[in-house]
Coordinates of all heavy atoms in Angstrom, one line a residue:
M1 N 86.2 320.3 -16.9 CA 85.3 319.6 -16.0 C 86.1 318.8 -15.1 O 87.0 318.0 -15.5 CB 84.3 318.7 -16.8 CG 83.4 317.9 -16.0 SD 82.3 316.8 -16.8 CE 81.5 317.8 -18.0
N2 N 85.8 318.8 -13.8 CA 86.7 318.2 -12.8 C 86.0 316.8 -12.5 O 84.8 316.5 -13.0 CB 86.9 319.0 -11.5 CG 85.5 319.3 -10.9 OD1 84.5 318.7 -11.1 ND2 85.6 320.3 -10.0
I3 N 86.6 316.0 -11.7 CA 86.2 314.6 -11.5 C 84.8 314.6 -10.7 O 84.0 313.8 -11.0 CB 87.2 313.9 -10.6 CG1 88.5 313.7 -11.4 CG2 86.8 312.5 -10.2 CD1 88.5 312.9 -12.6
A4 N 84.7 315.5 -9.8 CA 83.4 315.6 -9.0 C 82.3 315.9 -9.9 O 81.2 315.3 -9.8 CB 83.6 316.6 -7.9
T5 N 82.4 316.8 -10.8 CA 81.4 317.2 -11.7 C 81.1 316.0 -12.6 O 79.9 315.8 -12.9 CB 81.7 318.4 -12.6 OG1 82.1 319.5 -11.7 CG2 80.6 318.9 -13.5
A6 N 82.0 315.4 -13.1 CA 81.8 314.2 -14.0 C 81.1 313.1 -13.3 O 80.2 312.4 -13.8 CB 83.1 313.7 -14.6
K7 N 81.4 312.9 -12.0 CA 80.8 311.8 -11.2 C 79.3 312.2 -11.0 O 78.4 311.4 -11.1 CB 81.5 311.7 -9.9 CG 80.9 310.6 -9.0 CD 81.6 310.5 -7.7 CE 81.0 309.5 -6.8 NZ 81.7 309.4 -5.5
T8 N 79.1 313.5 -10.7 CA 77.7 313.9 -10.5 C 76.9 313.8 -11.7 O 75.7 313.4 -11.7 CB 77.7 315.4 -10.0 OG1 78.5 315.5 -8.8 CG2 76.3 316.0 -9.8
L9 N 77.5 314.1 -12.8 CA 76.8 314.1 -14.1 C 76.4 312.6 -14.4 O 75.3 312.3 -14.8 CB 77.7 314.7 -15.2 CG 77.2 314.7 -16.6 CD1 76.0 315.6 -16.7 CD2 78.2 315.2 -17.6
L10 N 77.4 311.7 -14.2 CA 77.1 310.3 -14.5 C 76.0 309.8 -13.6 O 75.1 309.0 -14.0 CB 78.3 309.5 -14.3 CG 78.3 308.0 -14.6 CD1 77.8 307.8 -16.1 CD2 79.6 307.3 -14.4
L11 N 76.0 310.1 -12.3 CA 75.0 309.6 -11.4 C 73.7 310.2 -11.7 O 72.7 309.4 -11.6 CB 75.5 310.0 -9.9 CG 76.7 309.2 -9.4 CD1 77.0 309.7 -8.0 CD2 76.4 307.7 -9.3
R12 N 73.6 311.4 -12.1 CA 72.3 312.0 -12.5 C 71.8 311.3 -13.7 O 70.6 311.1 -13.8 CB 72.5 313.5 -12.7 CG 72.6 314.3 -11.4 CD 72.8 315.7 -11.6 NE 71.7 316.3 -12.4 CZ 71.5 317.6 -12.5 NH1 72.2 318.5 -11.9 NH2 70.5 318.1 -13.2
A13 N 72.6 311.1 -14.7 CA 72.2 310.5 -15.9 C 71.7 309.0 -15.7 O 70.7 308.6 -16.2 CB 73.3 310.5 -17.0
V14 N 72.4 308.3 -14.9 CA 71.9 306.9 -14.5 C 70.7 307.0 -13.7 O 69.7 306.2 -14.0 CB 73.0 306.2 -13.7 CG1 72.5 304.9 -13.2 CG2 74.2 305.9 -14.7
R15 N 70.5 307.9 -12.8 CA 69.3 308.0 -12.0 C 68.1 308.3 -12.9 O 67.0 307.8 -12.8 CB 69.5 309.1 -10.9 CG 68.3 309.1 -9.9 CD 68.5 310.1 -8.8 NE 69.9 310.2 -8.4 CZ 70.6 311.4 -8.4 NH1 69.9 312.5 -8.8 NH2 71.8 311.5 -8.0
R16 N 68.3 309.3 -13.8 CA 67.2 309.7 -14.7 C 66.9 308.7 -15.7 O 65.8 308.4 -16.0 CB 67.5 311.1 -15.3 CG 66.4 311.7 -16.1 CD 66.8 312.9 -16.8 NE 67.2 313.9 -15.8 CZ 66.4 314.9 -15.2 NH1 65.2 314.9 -15.5 NH2 67.0 315.7 -14.4
G17 N 67.9 308.1 -16.3 CA 67.7 307.1 -17.3 C 67.3 305.7 -16.8 O 66.6 305.0 -17.5
G18 N 67.7 305.5 -15.6 CA 67.3 304.2 -14.9 C 67.9 303.0 -15.6 O 69.0 303.1 -16.3
W19 N 67.3 301.9 -15.5 CA 67.8 300.6 -16.0 C 67.1 300.1 -17.3 O 67.1 299.0 -17.6 CB 67.8 299.5 -14.9 CG 68.7 299.8 -13.8 CD1 68.4 300.4 -12.7 CD2 70.1 299.5 -13.7 NE1 69.5 300.5 -11.8 CE2 70.6 300.0 -12.6 CE3 71.0 298.9 -14.7 CZ2 71.9 299.9 -12.2 CZ3 72.3 298.8 -14.3 CH2 72.8 299.3 -13.1
G20 N 66.3 301.1 -17.9 CA 65.6 300.7 -19.0 C 66.3 300.2 -20.2 O 66.0 299.1 -20.7
M21 N 67.4 300.9 -20.6 CA 68.1 300.4 -21.8 C 68.9 299.1 -21.5 O 68.8 298.2 -22.3 CB 69.1 301.5 -22.2 CG 69.9 301.2 -23.5 SD 68.7 301.0 -24.9 CE 69.9 300.9 -26.2
P22 N 69.6 299.0 -20.4 CA 70.3 297.7 -20.1 C 69.3 296.5 -20.1 O 69.5 295.4 -20.5 CB 71.1 297.9 -18.8 CG 71.2 299.3 -18.7 CD 70.0 300.0 -19.4
G23 N 68.1 296.8 -19.5 CA 67.0 295.8 -19.4 C 66.5 295.4 -20.7 O 66.3 294.2 -21.0
L24 N 66.4 296.4 -21.6 CA 65.9 296.1 -23.0 C 66.9 295.3 -23.7 O 66.6 294.4 -24.4 CB 65.6 297.4 -23.7 CG 65.2 297.3 -25.1 CD1 63.8 296.6 -25.2 CD2 65.1 298.7 -25.8
L25 N 68.2 295.6 -23.6 CA 69.3 294.8 -24.2 C 69.3 293.4 -23.8 O 69.4 292.4 -24.5 CB 70.6 295.5 -24.0 CG 70.8 296.8 -24.8 CD1 72.2 297.4 -24.4 CD2 70.8 296.6 -26.3
V26 N 69.1 293.2 -22.5 CA 69.1 291.8 -21.9 C 67.8 291.0 -22.5 O 68.0 289.9 -22.9 CB 68.9 291.8 -20.4 CG1 68.5 290.4 -19.8 CG2 70.2 292.3 -19.8
V27 N 66.7 291.7 -22.6 CA 65.5 291.0 -23.2 C 65.7 290.8 -24.7 O 65.4 289.6 -25.2 CB 64.2 291.9 -23.0 CG1 63.1 291.5 -23.9 CG2 63.9 292.0 -21.5
L28 N 66.2 291.7 -25.4 CA 66.5 291.4 -26.9 C 67.5 290.3 -27.1 O 67.4 289.4 -28.0 CB 66.9 292.7 -27.5 CG 65.8 293.8 -27.7 CD1 66.4 295.1 -28.3 CD2 64.6 293.3 -28.5
N29 N 68.6 290.3 -26.3 CA 69.6 289.3 -26.5 C 69.0 287.9 -26.0 O 69.4 286.9 -26.7 CB 70.8 289.6 -25.6 CG 71.7 290.6 -26.3 OD1 71.7 290.7 -27.6 ND2 72.4 291.4 -25.5
T30 N 68.1 287.9 -25.0 CA 67.5 286.6 -24.6 C 66.6 286.1 -25.7 O 66.6 284.9 -26.1 CB 66.7 286.8 -23.3 OG1 67.6 287.3 -22.3 CG2 66.1 285.5 -22.9
M31 N 65.9 287.0 -26.3 CA 65.0 286.6 -27.5 C 65.8 286.1 -28.6 O 65.5 285.1 -29.3 CB 64.1 287.7 -27.9 CG 63.0 288.0 -26.8 SD 62.1 289.6 -27.1 CE 61.9 289.7 -28.9
H32 N 66.9 286.7 -28.9 CA 67.8 286.3 -30.0 C 68.4 285.0 -29.7 O 68.4 284.1 -30.6 CB 68.9 287.3 -30.2 CG 69.9 286.9 -31.3 ND1 69.6 287.1 -32.6 CD2 71.1 286.4 -31.2 CE1 70.7 286.7 -33.3 NE2 71.6 286.2 -32.5
W33 N 68.9 284.7 -28.5 CA 69.4 283.5 -28.1 C 68.3 282.3 -28.2 O 68.6 281.2 -28.7 CB 69.9 283.5 -26.6 CG 70.4 282.3 -26.1 CD1 71.5 281.6 -26.5 CD2 69.8 281.4 -25.1 NE1 71.6 280.4 -25.8 CE2 70.6 280.3 -24.9 CE3 68.6 281.6 -24.3 CZ2 70.3 279.3 -24.0 CZ3 68.3 280.6 -23.4 CH2 69.1 279.6 -23.3
Q34 N 67.1 282.6 -27.8 CA 66.1 281.6 -27.9 C 65.7 281.3 -29.3 O 65.4 280.1 -29.6 CB 64.8 282.1 -27.1 CG 64.9 282.0 -25.6 CD 63.7 282.5 -24.9 OE1 62.8 283.1 -25.5 NE2 63.6 282.3 -23.6
R35 N 65.8 282.2 -30.1 CA 65.4 282.0 -31.5 C 66.6 281.3 -32.3 O 66.3 280.4 -33.0 CB 65.1 283.3 -32.2 CG 64.7 283.2 -33.7 CD 64.3 284.4 -34.3 NE 63.9 284.2 -35.7 CZ 63.5 285.0 -36.5 NH1 63.6 286.3 -36.1 NH2 63.2 284.8 -37.8
N36 N 67.8 281.7 -32.1 CA 69.0 281.2 -32.8 C 69.8 280.1 -32.1 O 70.6 279.5 -32.7 CB 69.9 282.3 -33.3 CG 69.1 283.3 -34.2 OD1 68.3 282.9 -35.0 ND2 69.5 284.6 -34.1
G37 N 69.6 280.1 -30.8 CA 70.3 279.1 -30.0 C 71.7 279.5 -29.7 O 72.5 278.6 -29.2
T38 N 72.1 280.6 -30.1 CA 73.5 281.1 -29.8 C 73.6 282.6 -29.7 O 72.7 283.3 -30.2 CB 74.4 280.6 -31.0 OG1 75.8 281.0 -30.6 CG2 74.1 281.2 -32.3
L39 N 74.6 283.1 -29.0 CA 74.9 284.5 -29.0 C 76.4 284.6 -29.3 O 77.3 284.1 -28.6 CB 74.7 285.1 -27.6 CG 73.3 285.5 -27.2 CD1 73.3 286.0 -25.8 CD2 72.8 286.6 -28.2
G40 N 76.7 285.2 -30.5 CA 78.1 285.4 -30.9 C 78.7 286.6 -30.4 O 78.0 287.5 -29.7
L41 N 80.0 286.8 -30.6 CA 80.7 288.0 -30.2 C 80.1 289.3 -30.9 O 80.2 290.3 -30.4 CB 82.1 287.9 -30.4 CG 82.9 286.8 -29.5 CD1 84.4 286.8 -29.9 CD2 82.7 287.2 -28.0
G42 N 79.7 289.0 -32.1 CA 79.1 290.2 -32.9 C 77.9 290.7 -32.2 O 77.6 291.9 -32.1
D43 N 77.0 289.8 -31.6 CA 75.8 290.2 -30.9 C 76.2 291.0 -29.6 O 75.6 292.0 -29.3 CB 75.0 289.0 -30.5 CG 74.5 288.2 -31.7 OD1 74.2 288.8 -32.7 OD2 74.5 287.0 -31.6
V44 N 77.2 290.6 -28.9 CA 77.7 291.2 -27.7 C 78.2 292.6 -28.1 O 78.0 293.6 -27.4 CB 78.7 290.4 -27.0 CG1 79.3 291.2 -25.8 CG2 78.1 289.1 -26.5
R45 N 79.0 292.6 -29.1 CA 79.6 293.9 -29.6 C 78.5 294.9 -30.0 O 78.6 296.1 -29.5 CB 80.5 293.7 -30.8 CG 81.2 294.9 -31.3 CD 81.7 294.8 -32.7 NE 80.6 294.5 -33.6 CZ 80.6 293.6 -34.6 NH1 81.7 292.9 -34.8 NH2 79.5 293.5 -35.4
D46 N 77.5 294.4 -30.7 CA 76.4 295.4 -31.1 C 75.6 295.9 -29.8 O 75.3 297.0 -29.8 CB 75.4 294.6 -32.0 CG 76.0 294.3 -33.3 OD1 77.1 294.9 -33.7 OD2 75.4 293.5 -34.0
S47 N 75.4 295.0 -28.9 CA 74.8 295.4 -27.6 C 75.6 296.5 -26.9 O 75.1 297.5 -26.4 CB 74.5 294.2 -26.7 OG 73.6 293.4 -27.3
L48 N 76.9 296.3 -26.8 CA 77.8 297.2 -26.1 C 77.8 298.6 -26.8 O 77.9 299.6 -26.2 CB 79.2 296.6 -25.9 CG 79.3 295.5 -24.9 CD1 80.7 294.9 -25.0 CD2 78.9 295.9 -23.6
I49 N 77.8 298.5 -28.2 CA 77.8 299.8 -28.9 C 76.5 300.5 -28.7 O 76.5 301.7 -28.5 CB 78.0 299.5 -30.4 CG1 79.5 299.0 -30.7 CG2 77.7 300.7 -31.3 CD1 79.7 298.5 -32.1
A50 N 75.4 299.8 -28.7 CA 74.1 300.4 -28.4 C 74.0 301.1 -27.0 O 73.6 302.2 -26.8 CB 72.9 299.4 -28.6
L51 N 74.6 300.3 -26.0 CA 74.6 300.8 -24.6 C 75.5 302.1 -24.5 O 75.2 303.0 -23.8 CB 75.1 299.7 -23.8 CG 75.1 299.9 -22.2 CD1 73.6 300.3 -21.8 CD2 75.6 298.8 -21.5
A52 N 76.7 302.0 -25.2 CA 77.6 303.2 -25.2 C 76.9 304.4 -25.8 O 77.0 305.5 -25.3 CB 78.9 302.9 -25.9
A53 N 76.2 304.2 -27.0 CA 75.6 305.3 -27.6 C 74.4 305.9 -26.7 O 74.3 307.1 -26.6 CB 75.0 304.9 -28.9
Y54 N 73.7 305.0 -26.1 CA 72.6 305.5 -25.1 C 73.2 306.2 -24.0 O 72.7 307.3 -23.6 CB 71.9 304.2 -24.7 CG 70.8 304.6 -23.6 CD1 69.6 305.1 -24.0 CD2 71.1 304.3 -22.3 CE1 68.7 305.4 -23.0 CE2 70.1 304.6 -21.3 CZ 69.0 305.1 -21.6 OH 68.0 305.4 -20.7
T55 N 74.3 305.8 -23.4 CA 74.9 306.4 -22.3 C 75.5 307.8 -22.8 O 75.3 308.8 -22.0 CB 76.1 305.6 -21.8 OG1 75.6 304.4 -21.4 CG2 76.8 306.2 -20.6
A56 N 76.1 307.9 -23.9 CA 76.6 309.2 -24.5 C 75.5 310.2 -24.6 O 75.7 311.4 -24.2 CB 77.4 309.0 -25.7
V57 N 74.4 309.8 -25.2 CA 73.3 310.7 -25.3 C 72.7 311.1 -24.1 O 72.4 312.3 -23.8 CB 72.2 310.1 -26.3 CG1 71.0 310.9 -26.3 CG2 72.7 309.9 -27.7
G58 N 72.6 310.2 -23.1 CA 72.1 310.5 -21.8 C 73.0 311.5 -21.1 O 72.5 312.4 -20.4
L59 N 74.3 311.3 -21.2 CA 75.2 312.2 -20.5 C 75.2 313.6 -21.1 O 75.2 314.6 -20.4 CB 76.7 311.7 -20.6 CG 77.0 310.6 -19.7 CD1 78.4 310.0 -20.0 CD2 76.9 311.0 -18.3
L60 N 75.1 313.7 -22.5 CA 74.9 315.0 -23.1 C 73.7 315.8 -22.7 O 73.6 316.9 -22.5 CB 74.9 314.9 -24.6 CG 76.3 314.5 -25.2 CD1 76.3 314.2 -26.7 CD2 77.4 315.6 -24.9
M61 N 72.6 315.0 -22.6 CA 71.3 315.6 -22.2 C 71.4 316.1 -20.8 O 70.9 317.2 -20.4 CB 70.1 314.6 -22.4 CG 69.8 314.3 -23.9 SD 68.6 313.0 -24.1 CE 67.3 313.6 -23.2
E62 N 71.9 315.3 -19.9 CA 72.1 315.7 -18.5 C 73.0 316.8 -18.3 O 72.8 317.7 -17.5 CB 72.6 314.5 -17.7 CG 72.3 314.6 -16.2 CD 70.8 314.8 -15.8 OE1 70.0 314.2 -16.4 OE2 70.6 315.7 -14.9
Y63 N 74.1 316.9 -19.1 CA 75.0 318.1 -19.1 C 74.3 319.3 -19.5 O 74.5 320.4 -18.8 CB 76.2 317.8 -20.0 CG 77.2 318.9 -20.0 CD1 78.0 319.2 -18.8 CD2 77.4 319.7 -21.1 CE1 79.0 320.1 -18.8 CE2 78.3 320.7 -21.1 CZ 79.1 321.0 -20.0 OH 80.0 321.9 -20.0
Q64 N 73.4 319.2 -20.5 CA 72.7 320.4 -20.9 C 71.7 320.9 -19.8 O 71.6 322.0 -19.5 CB 71.9 320.1 -22.2 CG 71.0 321.2 -22.6 CD 70.3 320.9 -23.9 OE1 70.2 319.8 -24.3 NE2 69.6 321.9 -24.5
R65 N 71.1 319.9 -19.1 CA 70.2 320.3 -17.9 C 71.0 320.9 -16.9 O 70.5 321.9 -16.3 CB 69.5 319.0 -17.4 CG 68.4 318.5 -18.3 CD 67.7 317.4 -17.6 NE 66.7 316.8 -18.6 CZ 66.9 315.6 -19.1 NH1 67.9 314.8 -18.8 NH2 66.0 315.1 -20.0
M66 N 72.2 320.4 -16.6 CA 73.0 321.0 -15.5 C 73.4 322.5 -15.9 O 73.4 323.3 -15.1 CB 74.3 320.2 -15.3 CG 74.1 319.0 -14.4 SD 75.6 318.0 -14.0 CE 76.7 319.2 -13.5
R67 N 73.8 322.6 -17.1 CA 74.1 324.0 -17.5 C 72.9 324.9 -17.5 O 73.1 326.1 -17.1 CB 74.7 323.9 -19.0 CG 75.9 323.1 -19.1 CD 77.1 323.7 -19.6 NE 76.9 325.0 -20.3 CZ 77.9 325.8 -20.6 NH1 79.1 325.3 -20.5 NH2 77.8 326.9 -21.2
E68 N 71.8 324.5 -17.9 CA 70.6 325.3 -17.8 C 70.2 325.7 -16.3 O 69.9 326.8 -16.0 CB 69.4 324.7 -18.5 CG 69.5 324.6 -20.0 CD 68.4 323.7 -20.6 OE1 67.6 323.1 -19.9 OE2 68.4 323.7 -21.9
E69 N 70.4 324.7 -15.4 CA 70.1 324.9 -14.0 C 71.1 326.0 -13.4 O 70.8 326.9 -12.6 CB 70.2 323.6 -13.2 CG 69.1 322.7 -13.5 CD 69.3 321.4 -12.7 OE1 70.3 321.2 -12.0 OE2 68.5 320.5 -12.9
T70 N 72.4 325.8 -13.9 CA 73.4 326.8 -13.4 C 73.2 328.2 -13.9 O 73.3 329.1 -13.2 CB 74.8 326.2 -13.8 OG1 75.0 324.9 -13.4 CG2 75.9 327.1 -13.3
S71 N 72.9 328.3 -15.2 CA 72.6 329.6 -15.8 C 71.4 330.3 -15.2 O 71.3 331.4 -15.1 CB 72.6 329.6 -17.3 OG 71.5 328.8 -17.7
A72 N 70.4 329.4 -14.9 CA 69.1 330.0 -14.3 C 69.4 330.5 -12.9 O 68.7 331.4 -12.4 CB 68.0 328.9 -14.3
G73 N 70.3 330.0 -12.2 CA 70.6 330.3 -10.8 C 71.5 331.6 -10.7 O 71.6 332.2 -9.7
K74 N 72.1 332.0 -11.8 CA 73.0 333.1 -11.8 C 72.2 334.4 -11.9 O 71.2 334.4 -12.7 CB 74.0 333.1 -12.9 CG 75.1 332.0 -12.7 CD 76.1 332.0 -13.8 CE 77.1 331.0 -13.6 NZ 78.1 330.9 -14.7
P75 N 72.6 335.5 -11.2 CA 71.9 336.7 -11.4 C 72.2 337.3 -12.8 O 73.3 337.2 -13.3 CB 72.5 337.6 -10.4 CG 73.5 336.9 -9.7 CD 73.6 335.6 -10.2
G76 N 71.2 337.8 -13.5 CA 71.3 338.3 -14.8 C 71.3 337.2 -15.9 O 71.6 337.5 -17.0
G77 N 71.1 335.9 -15.6 CA 71.2 334.8 -16.5 C 69.9 334.3 -17.0 O 68.8 334.6 -16.8

């Protein structure tokens, strides 16, 4: 996979996924901060792990969609 394809894949995944997951993490961290009065490094780490997992799944799903579009456009595919 070249750089242009990776960039296209990332942009498509962000466009399709939107800002829902980062927004949800902000809301959950804000609620945690209001309840406990603090946000530790463990909370930040957990949020970043969740965001990375969400991004990885989104990229894999978008890659599958791109492959299906490409194979549908080929003759005999």
Side-chain angles (χ1 to χ4, degrees):
M1 177 183 308
N2 60 19
I3 298 293
T5 305
K7 181 180 175 185
T8 301
L9 181 63
L10 181 61
L11 290 175
R12 285 178 58 164
V14 169
R15 190 178 326 122
R16 188 179 302 268
W19 292 96
M21 183 65 170
L24 179 65
L25 288 175
V26 167
V27 168
L28 291 175
N29 282 329
T30 302
M31 289 171 35
H32 177 78
W33 175 72
Q34 287 179 345
R35 182 175 182 186
N36 298 326
T38 183
L39 275 177
L41 289 178
D43 300 321
V44 173
R45 182 196 64 221
D46 294 343
S47 294
L48 290 176
I49 289 171
L51 187 59
Y54 174 78
T55 303
V57 169
L59 285 172
L60 289 173
M61 290 172 57
E62 197 59 40
Y63 181 69
Q64 181 181 5
R65 285 187 188 108
M66 277 179 56
R67 299 239 345 175
E68 288 172 357
E69 290 174 2
T70 304
S71 66
K74 290 183 180 177

